[in-house]
Structures are given as structure tokens and as C-alpha cells.
Amino acid sequence: MAYGITMTEKNGDAYYFVKWSPLSKADRYEIITKVPSLAGIFEVYWMDENNRLRLFVVGKTDYGGLRSELRRITDPELCKTDEKARKILEEKEIWYRYSPTDSSNIMADVIWFFMQNYFPDNTSVNHSGRFQNIFLKESAPDKLMWVP
């Protein structure tokens, strides 16, 4: 299996398996040539002064695909959000990884799972509502350790 998300259902519960792409340093030309223009989920990190990755954003993309969304999120020239985000993009090393899927329901469940674990106080993300419980395992070619 290449990168992607698989799911099995058992007794009304969903068991997801996310296989991430290798962690890559954000470079506009690399993103344009190597990231697929498919729907999927992604995580973006920045490297702090102690060489530790810090989560910058976790998200999903339908329209335009992973390539355009990662390009937009990691480029300070395209950043139209707040000044703090732009400053991080301008001054820090930015890293990303992704996992394609064409199912909006799968993306909703997986992003909800991550948000519940990464930011339990954030209730702005909803799962698909199809399952009683959602479980998730990840596989990545890198041993990723990040600091919240």
C-alpha cells in the first residue's frame, strides 16, 4: 500500500489505518512536483530553536487537492491569515506530511479523531456520525515526535 487511509467496520465501530507520506521539508517547487493533486489529510509542523517539531496545522482538503493546499499553507507569500502565522512561515523551517483519500466521511472521522487527541477543548470539528466509536492507528516512514 502506498500512502492513504483504510477503514474496517466492526460492530458499529470504525477502525482507521493512516499511512503517512514521508515527512518533508516544505519547498514550493518540491510540493508542486511531488505532492499529488488529490483529496486527503495533512499535518504541517515548524521546527523550533531546540530542533523539535511543533504542530502548526492539521487539516483536510477536498477541492484543489493536497498539492495546492500544502502550497498555500506553507508559503508566507500566500499566507493571508494572522501575522503570527506569517512570521512562523518566514522564520522557521516548515515540514509536512499527507495521506490521500477521496472520502469526505473518512476525512471527517480522521480529522475529528486527531483534533480530539491533539486539542481536546476544540469542539469545532465533527465526525461523520456513521459510527459509535472511532479508532485509529498510524504508520509513517519517519519516527515523528512533536511538541504541542
Side-chain angles (χ1 to χ4, degrees):
M1 174 172 103
Y3 325 127
I5 304 171
T6 58
M7 188 269 299
T8 57
E9 180 182 352
K10 185 176 180 183
N11 300 325
D13 296 336
Y15 296 84
Y16 288 101
F17 181 71
V18 177
K19 187 164 184 183
W20 291 105
S21 69
L23 191 63
S24 299
K25 188 174 176 183
D27 172 270
R28 69 179 77 179
Y29 304 107
E30 291 283 320
I31 291 171
I32 289 169
T33 59
K34 294 188 177 175
V35 176
S37 188
L38 300 170
I41 62 169
F42 58 87
E43 292 180 337
V44 177
Y45 303 87
W46 60 276
M47 186 76 70
D48 71 11
E49 51 282 338
N50 296 314
N51 287 327
R52 293 185 181 150
L53 290 174
R54 297 199 175 256
L55 186 62
F56 186 62
V57 65
V58 59
K60 63 182 180 139
T61 180
D62 291 311
Y63 305 108
L66 291 163
R67 179 184 306 151
S68 61
E69 190 67 6
L70 285 169
R71 172 80 172 85
R72 184 187 67 77
I73 288 173
T74 61
D75 191 331
E77 293 177 16
L78 300 176
C79 179
K80 304 294 182 201
T81 60
D82 60 47
E83 284 300 313
K84 183 178 179 183
R86 175 175 269 184
K87 186 173 173 122
I88 288 172
L89 292 173
E90 289 174 342
E91 297 177 0
K92 306 294 184 183
E93 279 185 13
I94 306 298
W95 295 78
Y96 68 91
R97 65 183 185 171
Y98 61 88
S99 187
T101 181
D102 59 0
S103 169
S104 58
N105 283 330
I106 288 175
M107 285 188 276
D109 290 344
V110 171
I111 293 298
W112 175 85
F113 183 91
F114 287 144
M115 295 300 282
Q116 289 295 302
N117 286 282
Y118 298 165
F119 312 104
D121 295 334
N122 184 339
T123 59
S124 65
V125 176
N126 296 315
H127 54 78
S128 69
R130 300 176 301 155
F131 304 106
Q132 289 182 161
N133 297 297
I134 296 171
F135 302 96
L136 188 140
K137 287 186 180 180
E138 299 175 84
S139 173
D142 324 286
K143 292 191 184 248
L144 178 62
M145 299 286 286
W146 60 272
V147 179

